[in-house]
């Protein structure tokens, strides 16, 4: 990760045990690579927790969004502990409630309806990015 201006940092949970963790990572990649590539950077949660000073410095200065698979909110908690509270947290388990027809099971390769859910989560992240940058520009 390199420090940059006018960006929002996305920190996603690294849950391997739950399909929701996989969805959080895929959704984050969709935002970084397709939806808002010029407005976002990702911060590596394991490196952040292990003491990565670049990651922690970014999150102290720039707005961040935590993307967590479940209510344990590991990404939000880690960011809050070592830098500052994320401006927003997107919870995959909450987004799923809006789309009960989209079931998730995979922890590796996503099925089409799991990819659809990841896209819905990515759209919510992108919306938050836009709102944060809009608020920041008005200050
Ligand atoms: S937020 Fe939930 S899914 Fe993500 S790492 Fe923590 S326990 Fe696992």
């Amino acid at each position: 990760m390199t420090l940059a201006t006018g960006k929002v940092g996305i920190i996603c949970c690294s849950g391997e045990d739950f399909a929701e963790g996989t969805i959080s990572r895929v959704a984050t990649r969709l935002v970084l690579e397709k939806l808002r590539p010029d407005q976002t950077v990702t911060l590596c949660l394991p490196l952040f927790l292990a003491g990565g000073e670049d990651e922690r410095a970014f999150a102290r200065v720039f707005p961040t969004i935590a993307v967590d698979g479940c209510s344990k909110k590991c990404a939000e908690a880690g960011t809050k502990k070592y830098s500052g509270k994320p401006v927003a947290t997107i919870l995959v388990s909450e987004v799923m409630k809006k789309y009960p027809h989209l079931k998730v099971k995979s922890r590796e390769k996503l099925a089409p309806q799991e990819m659809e859910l990841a896209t819905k989560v990515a759209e919510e992240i992108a919306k938050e990015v836009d709102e944060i940058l809009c608020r920041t520009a008005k200050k």
Side-chain angles (χ1 to χ4, degrees), residues 70-117:
C70 73
S71 60
K72 292 193 171 142
K73 298 185 184 177
C74 298
E76 181 189 279
T79 310
K80 194 172 167 185
K81 183 169 180 187
Y82 293 109
S83 294
K85 192 172 188 303
V87 176
T89 298
I90 303 289
L91 261 188
V92 172
S93 53
E94 285 300 312
V95 178
M96 283 170 65
K97 290 179 187 168
K98 297 185 200 171
Y99 307 98
H101 63 292
L102 298 176
K103 309 287 181 208
V104 298
K105 289 185 290 201
S106 306
R107 287 185 287 155
E108 294 177 9
K109 195 171 181 340
L110 299 187
Q113 64 172 304
E114 292 164 332
M115 199 62 210
E116 190 180 337
L117 179 66

